[in-house]
PDB file of all heavy atoms in Angstrom:
ATOM      1  N   LYS S   9      70.912  61.068 118.721  1.00  0.00           N
ATOM      2  CA  LYS S   9      71.442  62.042 119.626  1.00  0.00           C
ATOM      3  C   LYS S   9      71.750  61.507 121.022  1.00  0.00           C
ATOM      4  O   LYS S   9      72.723  61.887 121.663  1.00  0.00           O
ATOM      5  CB  LYS S   9      70.498  63.271 119.697  1.00  0.00           C
ATOM      6  CG  LYS S   9      70.405  64.129 118.435  1.00  0.00           C
ATOM      7  CD  LYS S   9      71.771  64.626 118.032  1.00  0.00           C
ATOM      8  CE  LYS S   9      71.705  65.417 116.687  1.00  0.00           C
ATOM      9  NZ  LYS S   9      73.070  65.782 116.180  1.00  0.00           N
ATOM     10  N   ARG S  10      70.946  60.595 121.438  1.00  0.00           N
ATOM     11  CA  ARG S  10      71.167  59.967 122.774  1.00  0.00           C
ATOM     12  C   ARG S  10      72.514  59.183 122.733  1.00  0.00           C
ATOM     13  O   ARG S  10      73.319  59.256 123.596  1.00  0.00           O
ATOM     14  CB  ARG S  10      70.025  59.061 123.250  1.00  0.00           C
ATOM     15  CG  ARG S  10      68.878  59.882 123.845  1.00  0.00           C
ATOM     16  CD  ARG S  10      67.900  59.081 124.646  1.00  0.00           C
ATOM     17  NE  ARG S  10      67.145  58.202 123.651  1.00  0.00           N
ATOM     18  CZ  ARG S  10      65.980  58.552 123.156  1.00  0.00           C
ATOM     19  NH1 ARG S  10      65.428  59.734 123.423  1.00  0.00           N
ATOM     20  NH2 ARG S  10      65.347  57.713 122.421  1.00  0.00           N
ATOM     21  N   ALA S  11      72.659  58.431 121.614  1.00  0.00           N
ATOM     22  CA  ALA S  11      73.904  57.652 121.468  1.00  0.00           C
ATOM     23  C   ALA S  11      75.090  58.547 121.424  1.00  0.00           C
ATOM     24  O   ALA S  11      76.092  58.403 122.123  1.00  0.00           O
ATOM     25  CB  ALA S  11      73.768  56.754 120.219  1.00  0.00           C
ATOM     26  N   ALA S  12      75.016  59.558 120.526  1.00  0.00           N
ATOM     27  CA  ALA S  12      76.134  60.356 120.248  1.00  0.00           C
ATOM     28  C   ALA S  12      76.541  61.379 121.411  1.00  0.00           C
ATOM     29  O   ALA S  12      77.653  61.471 121.795  1.00  0.00           O
ATOM     30  CB  ALA S  12      75.949  61.189 118.986  1.00  0.00           C
ATOM     31  N   ASP S  13      75.492  62.038 121.919  1.00  0.00           N
ATOM     32  CA  ASP S  13      75.729  63.141 122.919  1.00  0.00           C
ATOM     33  C   ASP S  13      76.069  62.525 124.293  1.00  0.00           C
ATOM     34  O   ASP S  13      76.863  63.130 125.055  1.00  0.00           O
ATOM     35  CB  ASP S  13      74.487  63.993 123.110  1.00  0.00           C
ATOM     36  CG  ASP S  13      74.104  64.699 121.831  1.00  0.00           C
ATOM     37  OD1 ASP S  13      74.863  64.777 120.906  1.00  0.00           O
ATOM     38  OD2 ASP S  13      72.970  65.326 121.843  1.00  0.00           O
ATOM     39  N   ILE S  14      75.407  61.437 124.660  1.00  0.00           N
ATOM     40  CA  ILE S  14      75.548  60.965 126.006  1.00  0.00           C
ATOM     41  C   ILE S  14      76.495  59.688 126.198  1.00  0.00           C
ATOM     42  O   ILE S  14      77.381  59.728 126.975  1.00  0.00           O
ATOM     43  CB  ILE S  14      74.220  60.681 126.644  1.00  0.00           C
ATOM     44  CG1 ILE S  14      73.398  61.979 126.716  1.00  0.00           C
ATOM     45  CG2 ILE S  14      74.284  59.993 128.000  1.00  0.00           C
ATOM     46  CD1 ILE S  14      72.208  61.972 127.596  1.00  0.00           C
ATOM     47  N   THR S  15      76.150  58.732 125.347  1.00  0.00           N
ATOM     48  CA  THR S  15      76.883  57.443 125.496  1.00  0.00           C
ATOM     49  C   THR S  15      78.274  57.433 124.913  1.00  0.00           C
ATOM     50  O   THR S  15      79.233  57.108 125.574  1.00  0.00           O
ATOM     51  CB  THR S  15      76.050  56.307 124.954  1.00  0.00           C
ATOM     52  OG1 THR S  15      74.752  56.404 125.474  1.00  0.00           O
ATOM     53  CG2 THR S  15      76.630  54.977 125.278  1.00  0.00           C
ATOM     54  N   PHE S  16      78.401  57.889 123.654  1.00  0.00           N
ATOM     55  CA  PHE S  16      79.704  57.798 122.971  1.00  0.00           C
ATOM     56  C   PHE S  16      80.521  59.096 122.864  1.00  0.00           C
ATOM     57  O   PHE S  16      81.715  59.022 122.617  1.00  0.00           O
ATOM     58  CB  PHE S  16      79.524  57.094 121.627  1.00  0.00           C
ATOM     59  CG  PHE S  16      78.884  55.822 121.636  1.00  0.00           C
ATOM     60  CD1 PHE S  16      77.570  55.551 121.095  1.00  0.00           C
ATOM     61  CD2 PHE S  16      79.488  54.714 122.360  1.00  0.00           C
ATOM     62  CE1 PHE S  16      76.952  54.330 121.218  1.00  0.00           C
ATOM     63  CE2 PHE S  16      78.809  53.479 122.509  1.00  0.00           C
ATOM     64  CZ  PHE S  16      77.564  53.314 121.884  1.00  0.00           C
ATOM     65  N   GLY S  17      79.772  60.246 123.005  1.00  0.00           N
ATOM     66  CA  GLY S  17      80.594  61.480 123.024  1.00  0.00           C
ATOM     67  C   GLY S  17      81.216  61.858 121.722  1.00  0.00           C
ATOM     68  O   GLY S  17      82.358  62.107 121.569  1.00  0.00           O
ATOM     69  N   VAL S  18      80.323  61.920 120.650  1.00  0.00           N
ATOM     70  CA  VAL S  18      80.829  62.239 119.333  1.00  0.00           C
ATOM     71  C   VAL S  18      79.900  63.319 118.723  1.00  0.00           C
ATOM     72  O   VAL S  18      78.679  63.206 118.961  1.00  0.00           O
ATOM     73  CB  VAL S  18      80.958  61.032 118.404  1.00  0.00           C
ATOM     74  CG1 VAL S  18      79.625  60.386 118.181  1.00  0.00           C
ATOM     75  CG2 VAL S  18      81.557  61.411 117.031  1.00  0.00           C
ATOM     76  N   HIS S  19      80.520  64.309 118.025  1.00  0.00           N
ATOM     77  CA  HIS S  19      79.577  65.274 117.316  1.00  0.00           C
ATOM     78  C   HIS S  19      78.947  64.681 116.115  1.00  0.00           C
ATOM     79  O   HIS S  19      79.595  63.948 115.364  1.00  0.00           O
ATOM     80  CB  HIS S  19      80.443  66.497 116.926  1.00  0.00           C
ATOM     81  CG  HIS S  19      80.766  67.446 118.052  1.00  0.00           C
ATOM     82  ND1 HIS S  19      79.775  68.076 118.732  1.00  0.00           N
ATOM     83  CD2 HIS S  19      81.942  67.777 118.614  1.00  0.00           C
ATOM     84  CE1 HIS S  19      80.323  68.838 119.682  1.00  0.00           C
ATOM     85  NE2 HIS S  19      81.613  68.660 119.596  1.00  0.00           N
ATOM     86  N   THR S  20      77.661  65.009 115.965  1.00  0.00           N
ATOM     87  CA  THR S  20      76.931  64.403 114.785  1.00  0.00           C
ATOM     88  C   THR S  20      76.145  65.591 114.095  1.00  0.00           C
ATOM     89  O   THR S  20      75.714  66.514 114.827  1.00  0.00           O
ATOM     90  CB  THR S  20      75.921  63.345 115.145  1.00  0.00           C
ATOM     91  OG1 THR S  20      75.193  63.795 116.341  1.00  0.00           O
ATOM     92  CG2 THR S  20      76.643  62.032 115.511  1.00  0.00           C
ATOM     93  N   VAL S  21      75.932  65.390 112.823  1.00  0.00           N
ATOM     94  CA  VAL S  21      74.828  66.231 112.203  1.00  0.00           C
ATOM     95  C   VAL S  21      73.888  65.192 111.488  1.00  0.00           C
ATOM     96  O   VAL S  21      74.384  64.288 110.861  1.00  0.00           O
ATOM     97  CB  VAL S  21      75.379  67.270 111.208  1.00  0.00           C
ATOM     98  CG1 VAL S  21      75.985  68.481 111.849  1.00  0.00           C
ATOM     99  CG2 VAL S  21      76.276  66.665 110.173  1.00  0.00           C
ATOM    100  N   CYS S  22      72.630  65.399 111.731  1.00  0.00           N
ATOM    101  CA  CYS S  22      71.680  64.461 111.047  1.00  0.00           C
ATOM    102  C   CYS S  22      71.099  65.206 109.834  1.00  0.00           C
ATOM    103  O   CYS S  22      70.668  66.371 109.911  1.00  0.00           O
ATOM    104  CB  CYS S  22      70.488  64.254 112.025  1.00  0.00           C
ATOM    105  SG  CYS S  22      70.943  63.145 113.359  1.00  0.00           S
ATOM    106  N   CYS S  23      71.140  64.548 108.679  1.00  0.00           N
ATOM    107  CA  CYS S  23      70.720  65.112 107.436  1.00  0.00           C
ATOM    108  C   CYS S  23      69.775  64.111 106.834  1.00  0.00           C
ATOM    109  O   CYS S  23      69.927  62.932 106.887  1.00  0.00           O
ATOM    110  CB  CYS S  23      71.870  65.306 106.497  1.00  0.00           C
ATOM    111  SG  CYS S  23      73.270  66.226 107.206  1.00  0.00           S
ATOM    112  N   VAL S  24      68.742  64.625 106.173  1.00  0.00           N
ATOM    113  CA  VAL S  24      67.814  63.843 105.390  1.00  0.00           C
ATOM    114  C   VAL S  24      68.547  63.462 104.097  1.00  0.00           C
ATOM    115  O   VAL S  24      69.029  64.311 103.410  1.00  0.00           O
ATOM    116  CB  VAL S  24      66.476  64.540 105.134  1.00  0.00           C
ATOM    117  CG1 VAL S  24      65.636  63.735 104.227  1.00  0.00           C
ATOM    118  CG2 VAL S  24      65.775  64.791 106.388  1.00  0.00           C
ATOM    119  N   ALA S  25      68.676  62.125 103.847  1.00  0.00           N
ATOM    120  CA  ALA S  25      69.486  61.601 102.780  1.00  0.00           C
ATOM    121  C   ALA S  25      69.171  62.328 101.445  1.00  0.00           C
ATOM    122  O   ALA S  25      70.061  62.829 100.760  1.00  0.00           O
ATOM    123  CB  ALA S  25      69.300  60.137 102.615  1.00  0.00           C
ATOM    124  N   GLU S  26      67.886  62.423 101.150  1.00  0.00           N
ATOM    125  CA  GLU S  26      67.496  62.993  99.886  1.00  0.00           C
ATOM    126  C   GLU S  26      68.046  64.402  99.669  1.00  0.00           C
ATOM    127  O   GLU S  26      68.558  64.729  98.605  1.00  0.00           O
ATOM    128  CB  GLU S  26      65.968  63.035  99.838  1.00  0.00           C
ATOM    129  CG  GLU S  26      65.376  63.383  98.458  1.00  0.00           C
ATOM    130  CD  GLU S  26      63.869  63.504  98.549  1.00  0.00           C
ATOM    131  OE1 GLU S  26      63.274  63.302  99.625  1.00  0.00           O
ATOM    132  OE2 GLU S  26      63.280  63.847  97.497  1.00  0.00           O
ATOM    133  N   LYS S  27      68.011  65.221 100.719  1.00  0.00           N
ATOM    134  CA  LYS S  27      68.539  66.581 100.622  1.00  0.00           C
ATOM    135  C   LYS S  27      70.031  66.597 100.468  1.00  0.00           C
ATOM    136  O   LYS S  27      70.598  67.409  99.693  1.00  0.00           O
ATOM    137  CB  LYS S  27      68.145  67.426 101.879  1.00  0.00           C
ATOM    138  CG  LYS S  27      66.629  67.732 101.951  1.00  0.00           C
ATOM    139  CD  LYS S  27      66.478  68.968 102.714  1.00  0.00           C
ATOM    140  CE  LYS S  27      65.065  69.616 102.539  1.00  0.00           C
ATOM    141  NZ  LYS S  27      64.238  69.373 103.756  1.00  0.00           N
ATOM    142  N   PHE S  28      70.731  65.768 101.269  1.00  0.00           N
ATOM    143  CA  PHE S  28      72.122  65.720 101.278  1.00  0.00           C
ATOM    144  C   PHE S  28      72.713  65.244  99.928  1.00  0.00           C
ATOM    145  O   PHE S  28      73.743  65.683  99.436  1.00  0.00           O
ATOM    146  CB  PHE S  28      72.654  64.850 102.415  1.00  0.00           C
ATOM    147  CG  PHE S  28      74.104  64.997 102.710  1.00  0.00           C
ATOM    148  CD1 PHE S  28      74.510  65.889 103.739  1.00  0.00           C
ATOM    149  CD2 PHE S  28      75.065  64.204 102.058  1.00  0.00           C
ATOM    150  CE1 PHE S  28      75.843  66.005 103.997  1.00  0.00           C
ATOM    151  CE2 PHE S  28      76.422  64.358 102.411  1.00  0.00           C
ATOM    152  CZ  PHE S  28      76.784  65.287 103.328  1.00  0.00           C
ATOM    153  N   LEU S  29      71.989  64.306  99.321  1.00  0.00           N
ATOM    154  CA  LEU S  29      72.471  63.663  98.070  1.00  0.00           C
ATOM    155  C   LEU S  29      71.982  64.311  96.825  1.00  0.00           C
ATOM    156  O   LEU S  29      72.590  64.166  95.764  1.00  0.00           O
ATOM    157  CB  LEU S  29      72.012  62.194  98.057  1.00  0.00           C
ATOM    158  CG  LEU S  29      72.547  61.363  99.305  1.00  0.00           C
ATOM    159  CD1 LEU S  29      71.846  60.023  99.277  1.00  0.00           C
ATOM    160  CD2 LEU S  29      74.017  61.205  99.264  1.00  0.00           C
ATOM    161  N   SER S  30      70.916  65.110  96.879  1.00  0.00           N
ATOM    162  CA  SER S  30      70.406  65.578  95.639  1.00  0.00           C
ATOM    163  C   SER S  30      71.224  66.782  95.104  1.00  0.00           C
ATOM    164  O   SER S  30      71.610  67.657  95.902  1.00  0.00           O
ATOM    165  CB  SER S  30      68.923  66.110  95.848  1.00  0.00           C
ATOM    166  OG  SER S  30      68.902  67.525  95.580  1.00  0.00           O
ATOM    167  N   THR S  31      71.506  66.755  93.808  1.00  0.00           N
ATOM    168  CA  THR S  31      72.288  67.784  93.215  1.00  0.00           C
ATOM    169  C   THR S  31      71.620  69.172  93.218  1.00  0.00           C
ATOM    170  O   THR S  31      72.250  70.189  93.175  1.00  0.00           O
ATOM    171  CB  THR S  31      72.808  67.436  91.845  1.00  0.00           C
ATOM    172  OG1 THR S  31      71.708  66.892  91.136  1.00  0.00           O
ATOM    173  CG2 THR S  31      73.928  66.392  91.874  1.00  0.00           C
ATOM    174  N   LYS S  32      70.257  69.082  93.332  1.00  0.00           N
ATOM    175  CA  LYS S  32      69.539  70.360  93.318  1.00  0.00           C
ATOM    176  C   LYS S  32      69.507  71.008  94.673  1.00  0.00           C
ATOM    177  O   LYS S  32      69.167  70.418  95.678  1.00  0.00           O
ATOM    178  CB  LYS S  32      68.071  70.051  92.919  1.00  0.00           C
ATOM    179  CG  LYS S  32      67.291  71.274  92.390  1.00  0.00           C
ATOM    180  CD  LYS S  32      65.992  70.847  91.706  1.00  0.00           C
ATOM    181  CE  LYS S  32      64.824  70.904  92.678  1.00  0.00           C
ATOM    182  NZ  LYS S  32      64.306  69.923  93.405  1.00  0.00           N
ATOM    183  N   GLY S  33      70.098  72.192  94.774  1.00  0.00           N
ATOM    184  CA  GLY S  33      70.158  72.909  96.082  1.00  0.00           C
ATOM    185  C   GLY S  33      71.124  72.359  97.054  1.00  0.00           C
ATOM    186  O   GLY S  33      71.106  72.678  98.198  1.00  0.00           O
ATOM    187  N   GLN S  34      71.986  71.453  96.537  1.00  0.00           N
ATOM    188  CA  GLN S  34      72.904  70.745  97.488  1.00  0.00           C
ATOM    189  C   GLN S  34      73.848  71.713  98.202  1.00  0.00           C
ATOM    190  O   GLN S  34      74.094  71.606  99.375  1.00  0.00           O
ATOM    191  CB  GLN S  34      73.735  69.721  96.724  1.00  0.00           C
ATOM    192  CG  GLN S  34      74.527  68.741  97.610  1.00  0.00           C
ATOM    193  CD  GLN S  34      75.334  67.784  96.838  1.00  0.00           C
ATOM    194  OE1 GLN S  34      75.886  68.036  95.868  1.00  0.00           O
ATOM    195  NE2 GLN S  34      75.292  66.533  97.303  1.00  0.00           N
ATOM    196  N   LEU S  35      74.412  72.712  97.459  1.00  0.00           N
ATOM    197  CA  LEU S  35      75.401  73.612  98.098  1.00  0.00           C
ATOM    198  C   LEU S  35      74.736  74.449  99.190  1.00  0.00           C
ATOM    199  O   LEU S  35      75.380  74.667 100.189  1.00  0.00           O
ATOM    200  CB  LEU S  35      76.036  74.456  97.042  1.00  0.00           C
ATOM    201  CG  LEU S  35      77.010  73.685  96.138  1.00  0.00           C
ATOM    202  CD1 LEU S  35      77.697  74.652  95.102  1.00  0.00           C
ATOM    203  CD2 LEU S  35      78.057  72.976  96.857  1.00  0.00           C
ATOM    204  N   GLY S  36      73.515  74.883  98.910  1.00  0.00           N
ATOM    205  CA  GLY S  36      72.859  75.652  99.970  1.00  0.00           C
ATOM    206  C   GLY S  36      72.579  74.782 101.181  1.00  0.00           C
ATOM    207  O   GLY S  36      72.690  75.247 102.341  1.00  0.00           O
ATOM    208  N   TYR S  37      72.286  73.515 100.964  1.00  0.00           N
ATOM    209  CA  TYR S  37      72.085  72.612 102.095  1.00  0.00           C
ATOM    210  C   TYR S  37      73.385  72.356 102.856  1.00  0.00           C
ATOM    211  O   TYR S  37      73.478  72.457 104.074  1.00  0.00           O
ATOM    212  CB  TYR S  37      71.510  71.226 101.582  1.00  0.00           C
ATOM    213  CG  TYR S  37      71.068  70.334 102.603  1.00  0.00           C
ATOM    214  CD1 TYR S  37      69.895  70.611 103.352  1.00  0.00           C
ATOM    215  CD2 TYR S  37      71.791  69.196 103.009  1.00  0.00           C
ATOM    216  CE1 TYR S  37      69.448  69.727 104.415  1.00  0.00           C
ATOM    217  CE2 TYR S  37      71.400  68.335 103.999  1.00  0.00           C
ATOM    218  CZ  TYR S  37      70.201  68.625 104.661  1.00  0.00           C
ATOM    219  OH  TYR S  37      69.767  67.767 105.699  1.00  0.00           O
ATOM    220  N   PHE S  38      74.462  72.151 102.077  1.00  0.00           N
ATOM    221  CA  PHE S  38      75.807  71.922 102.668  1.00  0.00           C
ATOM    222  C   PHE S  38      76.145  73.223 103.497  1.00  0.00           C
ATOM    223  O   PHE S  38      76.757  73.042 104.574  1.00  0.00           O
ATOM    224  CB  PHE S  38      76.860  71.819 101.561  1.00  0.00           C
ATOM    225  CG  PHE S  38      76.897  70.438 100.957  1.00  0.00           C
ATOM    226  CD1 PHE S  38      77.753  70.114  99.950  1.00  0.00           C
ATOM    227  CD2 PHE S  38      76.139  69.373 101.492  1.00  0.00           C
ATOM    228  CE1 PHE S  38      77.876  68.842  99.365  1.00  0.00           C
ATOM    229  CE2 PHE S  38      76.167  68.010 100.976  1.00  0.00           C
ATOM    230  CZ  PHE S  38      77.023  67.801  99.917  1.00  0.00           C
ATOM    231  N   ALA S  39      75.876  74.417 103.011  1.00  0.00           N
ATOM    232  CA  ALA S  39      76.212  75.605 103.716  1.00  0.00           C
ATOM    233  C   ALA S  39      75.501  75.642 105.080  1.00  0.00           C
ATOM    234  O   ALA S  39      76.169  76.010 106.082  1.00  0.00           O
ATOM    235  CB  ALA S  39      75.759  76.771 102.896  1.00  0.00           C
TER     236      ALA S  39
END
């Protein structure tokens, strides 16, 4: 967040890889 918000000025979302990649509950997580 320090790199993105202050230094480079880009929007980011941080996701835990396991949740983002797992097919179980993925759509709810994406939502």
Side-chain angles (χ1 to χ4, degrees):
K9 291 302 180 188
R10 280 195 290 271
D13 296 349
I14 295 197
T15 309
F16 303 115
V18 60
H19 282 297
T20 46
V21 284
C22 288
C23 306
V24 174
E26 191 185 357
K27 290 207 165 104
F28 194 91
L29 302 171
S30 120
T31 43
K32 200 168 96 266
Q34 190 180 43
L35 290 180
Y37 189 72
F38 282 174

